[in-house]
Amino acid sequence: MRKNDILTIVVPCFNEEEVLPETVKELGGVLVNMMDHGEVSQQSKIMFVDDGSKDKTWQLIQQFEKQYNYITGIKFSKNFGHQNALIAGMTTAVEYSDMIVTIDADLQDDIHAIPKMVKKYHDGFDVVYGVRNNRDTDTAFKRKTAMMFYGLMQKLGVNMVPNSADYRLMSKRAVEHLLDFKEENLFLRGMVPLVGFPSAKVYYARKERFAGESKYPLKKMIKFAADGITSFSTTPIRLIMFLGLVIVFASVIFVGYSIIRKLTGHTVPGWSSLMASIWLLGGIQLICISVIGEYIGKIFKEVKRRPRFIIEEDDYTDKMED
């Protein structure tokens, strides 16, 4: 066991003033226990990333920084999103950390899995995924759609760990190589497996949110899923081509059928079928254009090379350098 290995726990926060005191208490207890038992260095920290919160989240983080030496944080200049908050935390922490754990602030992920992750790290694993062994806290709709999403991503050739979110441990070298991926359209659940290195899983039961509201309503979940699909696979564009070929083939058959009906004197006024065909083809064309436009939009964002985040205040670096 390497007692000098520094652990940084990165916790993205967006309007989390209701849950933050309990998160500090629970996570702090786990970290202090690991430090006391020599599992991690006494320099280990819990880093809260304030993702442009509108409530008192940042004031609370600074308050807890004064109370506990192991609490620190960074503050965004505005809201950049959950995935960017995770990347910012890892980017800031990787210089001073031997391992980094990412976990949401809502306490739904079992914090007592962190010591198990650290043990896996000491056993030689660079990436340790936190995997839910049940989804009892989710609605039937969310459970069904989640499994459909994982199944679809697998069929599209995207290597993901089913029932794992952004609760994971990564070694210093794994994080450094993850940060080599410079795309703006982030989907970390698909990116982390691309890094490679030895990996393991730690299973846990997911809990109800301690307080506050979910930051991922249905609209955001749909957008998140769409980002995941279009960021990692060009299969939808290939499906459009296949759909076009099917329609052309069907059209040839229909034209042949019409000629035969004409030659045999069975011409029937076709206003209804004509209108139906026009509306059908028009709808298919709009869908196809939208899918292609989604990919072009991502290219548009990537080529501008804008920063993924802007840090307004960095208390973490100040503490580590003191």
PDB file of all heavy atoms in Angstrom, residues 16 26 39 54 65 68 149 158 199 204 212 236 253 256 271 277:
ATOM      1  N   GLU A  16     -26.347  23.329  -5.680  1.00  0.00           N
ATOM      2  CA  GLU A  16     -26.394  22.197  -4.745  1.00  0.00           C
ATOM      3  C   GLU A  16     -26.379  22.641  -3.278  1.00  0.00           C
ATOM      4  O   GLU A  16     -25.943  21.903  -2.409  1.00  0.00           O
ATOM      5  CB  GLU A  16     -25.221  21.246  -5.000  1.00  0.00           C
ATOM      6  CG  GLU A  16     -25.177  20.623  -6.376  1.00  0.00           C
ATOM      7  CD  GLU A  16     -26.241  19.544  -6.574  1.00  0.00           C
ATOM      8  OE1 GLU A  16     -27.058  19.329  -5.661  1.00  0.00           O
ATOM      9  OE2 GLU A  16     -26.258  18.920  -7.654  1.00  0.00           O
ATOM     10  N   GLU A  26     -20.508  13.499   4.611  1.00  0.00           N
ATOM     11  CA  GLU A  26     -20.389  12.084   4.246  1.00  0.00           C
ATOM     12  C   GLU A  26     -19.067  11.803   3.521  1.00  0.00           C
ATOM     13  O   GLU A  26     -18.332  10.876   3.879  1.00  0.00           O
ATOM     14  CB  GLU A  26     -21.569  11.675   3.354  1.00  0.00           C
ATOM     15  CG  GLU A  26     -22.930  11.744   4.050  1.00  0.00           C
ATOM     16  CD  GLU A  26     -23.070  10.698   5.134  1.00  0.00           C
ATOM     17  OE1 GLU A  26     -22.457   9.621   5.003  1.00  0.00           O
ATOM     18  OE2 GLU A  26     -23.777  10.956   6.128  1.00  0.00           O
ATOM     19  N   GLU A  39      -4.437   4.674   3.700  1.00  0.00           N
ATOM     20  CA  GLU A  39      -4.795   4.215   2.356  1.00  0.00           C
ATOM     21  C   GLU A  39      -4.486   5.274   1.302  1.00  0.00           C
ATOM     22  O   GLU A  39      -4.242   4.948   0.134  1.00  0.00           O
ATOM     23  CB  GLU A  39      -6.276   3.836   2.318  1.00  0.00           C
ATOM     24  CG  GLU A  39      -6.644   2.679   3.240  1.00  0.00           C
ATOM     25  CD  GLU A  39      -8.141   2.461   3.308  1.00  0.00           C
ATOM     26  OE1 GLU A  39      -8.774   2.441   2.238  1.00  0.00           O
ATOM     27  OE2 GLU A  39      -8.680   2.303   4.417  1.00  0.00           O
ATOM     28  N   LYS A  54     -26.327  29.440  -9.308  1.00  0.00           N
ATOM     29  CA  LYS A  54     -27.010  30.701  -9.046  1.00  0.00           C
ATOM     30  C   LYS A  54     -27.376  30.854  -7.572  1.00  0.00           C
ATOM     31  O   LYS A  54     -27.829  31.920  -7.145  1.00  0.00           O
ATOM     32  CB  LYS A  54     -28.283  30.800  -9.894  1.00  0.00           C
ATOM     33  CG  LYS A  54     -28.054  30.699 -11.400  1.00  0.00           C
ATOM     34  CD  LYS A  54     -27.180  31.821 -11.917  1.00  0.00           C
ATOM     35  CE  LYS A  54     -27.006  31.735 -13.433  1.00  0.00           C
ATOM     36  NZ  LYS A  54     -26.083  32.781 -13.945  1.00  0.00           N
ATOM     37  N   GLU A  65     -14.139  25.309   3.171  1.00  0.00           N
ATOM     38  CA  GLU A  65     -12.689  25.355   2.981  1.00  0.00           C
ATOM     39  C   GLU A  65     -11.989  25.878   4.234  1.00  0.00           C
ATOM     40  O   GLU A  65     -10.892  25.421   4.587  1.00  0.00           O
ATOM     41  CB  GLU A  65     -12.332  26.255   1.789  1.00  0.00           C
ATOM     42  CG  GLU A  65     -12.582  25.639   0.432  1.00  0.00           C
ATOM     43  CD  GLU A  65     -12.224  26.577  -0.700  1.00  0.00           C
ATOM     44  OE1 GLU A  65     -12.176  27.805  -0.472  1.00  0.00           O
ATOM     45  OE2 GLU A  65     -11.976  26.091  -1.807  1.00  0.00           O
ATOM     46  N   TYR A  68     -12.303  22.895   6.977  1.00  0.00           N
ATOM     47  CA  TYR A  68     -11.600  21.628   6.754  1.00  0.00           C
ATOM     48  C   TYR A  68     -10.469  21.826   5.744  1.00  0.00           C
ATOM     49  O   TYR A  68     -10.693  22.352   4.649  1.00  0.00           O
ATOM     50  CB  TYR A  68     -12.563  20.565   6.230  1.00  0.00           C
ATOM     51  CG  TYR A  68     -13.809  20.383   7.081  1.00  0.00           C
ATOM     52  CD1 TYR A  68     -15.029  20.889   6.654  1.00  0.00           C
ATOM     53  CD2 TYR A  68     -13.749  19.710   8.300  1.00  0.00           C
ATOM     54  CE1 TYR A  68     -16.178  20.731   7.420  1.00  0.00           C
ATOM     55  CE2 TYR A  68     -14.889  19.543   9.079  1.00  0.00           C
ATOM     56  CZ  TYR A  68     -16.095  20.054   8.631  1.00  0.00           C
ATOM     57  OH  TYR A  68     -17.227  19.896   9.395  1.00  0.00           O
ATOM     58  N   PHE A 149     -30.687   2.391 -24.425  1.00  0.00           N
ATOM     59  CA  PHE A 149     -29.573   3.248 -24.835  1.00  0.00           C
ATOM     60  C   PHE A 149     -28.262   2.474 -24.832  1.00  0.00           C
ATOM     61  O   PHE A 149     -27.488   2.533 -25.800  1.00  0.00           O
ATOM     62  CB  PHE A 149     -29.481   4.458 -23.902  1.00  0.00           C
ATOM     63  CG  PHE A 149     -28.263   5.312 -24.138  1.00  0.00           C
ATOM     64  CD1 PHE A 149     -28.122   6.028 -25.307  1.00  0.00           C
ATOM     65  CD2 PHE A 149     -27.253   5.391 -23.189  1.00  0.00           C
ATOM     66  CE1 PHE A 149     -27.003   6.815 -25.539  1.00  0.00           C
ATOM     67  CE2 PHE A 149     -26.137   6.167 -23.400  1.00  0.00           C
ATOM     68  CZ  PHE A 149     -26.012   6.883 -24.575  1.00  0.00           C
ATOM     69  N   VAL A 158     -19.924   1.313 -29.913  1.00  0.00           N
ATOM     70  CA  VAL A 158     -19.348   2.158 -28.865  1.00  0.00           C
ATOM     71  C   VAL A 158     -19.118   1.310 -27.621  1.00  0.00           C
ATOM     72  O   VAL A 158     -20.042   0.706 -27.087  1.00  0.00           O
ATOM     73  CB  VAL A 158     -20.273   3.349 -28.531  1.00  0.00           C
ATOM     74  CG1 VAL A 158     -19.621   4.240 -27.485  1.00  0.00           C
ATOM     75  CG2 VAL A 158     -20.585   4.148 -29.792  1.00  0.00           C
ATOM     76  N   SER A 199      -8.424  -2.220 -16.181  1.00  0.00           N
ATOM     77  CA  SER A 199      -9.624  -1.661 -15.543  1.00  0.00           C
ATOM     78  C   SER A 199     -10.340  -2.728 -14.722  1.00  0.00           C
ATOM     79  O   SER A 199     -10.156  -3.927 -14.930  1.00  0.00           O
ATOM     80  CB  SER A 199     -10.575  -1.085 -16.592  1.00  0.00           C
ATOM     81  OG  SER A 199     -11.064  -2.109 -17.441  1.00  0.00           O
ATOM     82  N   TYR A 204     -22.278  -1.369  -6.656  1.00  0.00           N
ATOM     83  CA  TYR A 204     -22.925  -0.722  -5.516  1.00  0.00           C
ATOM     84  C   TYR A 204     -24.407  -0.511  -5.821  1.00  0.00           C
ATOM     85  O   TYR A 204     -24.824  -0.559  -6.986  1.00  0.00           O
ATOM     86  CB  TYR A 204     -22.260   0.623  -5.212  1.00  0.00           C
ATOM     87  CG  TYR A 204     -22.476   1.669  -6.289  1.00  0.00           C
ATOM     88  CD1 TYR A 204     -23.509   2.591  -6.209  1.00  0.00           C
ATOM     89  CD2 TYR A 204     -21.648   1.720  -7.422  1.00  0.00           C
ATOM     90  CE1 TYR A 204     -23.713   3.541  -7.196  1.00  0.00           C
ATOM     91  CE2 TYR A 204     -21.848   2.657  -8.418  1.00  0.00           C
ATOM     92  CZ  TYR A 204     -22.880   3.568  -8.291  1.00  0.00           C
ATOM     93  OH  TYR A 204     -23.090   4.504  -9.279  1.00  0.00           O
ATOM     94  N   GLY A 212     -32.773  18.308  -2.963  1.00  0.00           N
ATOM     95  CA  GLY A 212     -32.738  19.053  -4.217  1.00  0.00           C
ATOM     96  C   GLY A 212     -33.388  18.291  -5.359  1.00  0.00           C
ATOM     97  O   GLY A 212     -33.994  17.230  -5.170  1.00  0.00           O
ATOM     98  N   PRO A 236     -25.658   6.476 -38.000  1.00  0.00           N
ATOM     99  CA  PRO A 236     -26.901   7.118 -38.463  1.00  0.00           C
ATOM    100  C   PRO A 236     -26.819   7.649 -39.885  1.00  0.00           C
ATOM    101  O   PRO A 236     -27.790   7.580 -40.639  1.00  0.00           O
ATOM    102  CB  PRO A 236     -27.085   8.264 -37.447  1.00  0.00           C
ATOM    103  CG  PRO A 236     -26.470   7.741 -36.198  1.00  0.00           C
ATOM    104  CD  PRO A 236     -25.265   6.976 -36.672  1.00  0.00           C
ATOM    105  N   ILE A 253     -40.080  -0.169 -58.295  1.00  0.00           N
ATOM    106  CA  ILE A 253     -41.159  -1.162 -58.319  1.00  0.00           C
ATOM    107  C   ILE A 253     -42.501  -0.489 -58.560  1.00  0.00           C
ATOM    108  O   ILE A 253     -43.327  -0.970 -59.354  1.00  0.00           O
ATOM    109  CB  ILE A 253     -41.181  -1.947 -56.986  1.00  0.00           C
ATOM    110  CG1 ILE A 253     -39.907  -2.784 -56.844  1.00  0.00           C
ATOM    111  CG2 ILE A 253     -42.417  -2.840 -56.911  1.00  0.00           C
ATOM    112  CD1 ILE A 253     -39.790  -3.493 -55.511  1.00  0.00           C
ATOM    113  N   GLY A 256     -42.831   0.586 -62.205  1.00  0.00           N
ATOM    114  CA  GLY A 256     -43.120  -0.589 -63.026  1.00  0.00           C
ATOM    115  C   GLY A 256     -44.564  -1.023 -62.886  1.00  0.00           C
ATOM    116  O   GLY A 256     -45.236  -1.358 -63.886  1.00  0.00           O
ATOM    117  N   TRP A 271     -54.694  10.473 -56.800  1.00  0.00           N
ATOM    118  CA  TRP A 271     -54.427  11.682 -55.997  1.00  0.00           C
ATOM    119  C   TRP A 271     -54.031  11.331 -54.566  1.00  0.00           C
ATOM    120  O   TRP A 271     -53.050  11.848 -54.028  1.00  0.00           O
ATOM    121  CB  TRP A 271     -55.675  12.567 -56.010  1.00  0.00           C
ATOM    122  CG  TRP A 271     -55.442  13.887 -55.313  1.00  0.00           C
ATOM    123  CD1 TRP A 271     -54.921  15.018 -55.850  1.00  0.00           C
ATOM    124  CD2 TRP A 271     -55.714  14.169 -53.942  1.00  0.00           C
ATOM    125  NE1 TRP A 271     -54.846  16.005 -54.915  1.00  0.00           N
ATOM    126  CE2 TRP A 271     -55.334  15.516 -53.715  1.00  0.00           C
ATOM    127  CE3 TRP A 271     -56.246  13.430 -52.886  1.00  0.00           C
ATOM    128  CZ2 TRP A 271     -55.462  16.129 -52.477  1.00  0.00           C
ATOM    129  CZ3 TRP A 271     -56.374  14.038 -51.646  1.00  0.00           C
ATOM    130  CH2 TRP A 271     -55.986  15.369 -51.447  1.00  0.00           C
ATOM    131  N   SER A 277     -47.481   9.870 -50.796  1.00  0.00           N
ATOM    132  CA  SER A 277     -46.076   9.674 -51.139  1.00  0.00           C
ATOM    133  C   SER A 277     -45.269  10.944 -50.946  1.00  0.00           C
ATOM    134  O   SER A 277     -44.147  10.920 -50.426  1.00  0.00           O
ATOM    135  CB  SER A 277     -45.947   9.204 -52.594  1.00  0.00           C
ATOM    136  OG  SER A 277     -46.616   7.977 -52.787  1.00  0.00           O
TER     137      SER A 277
END
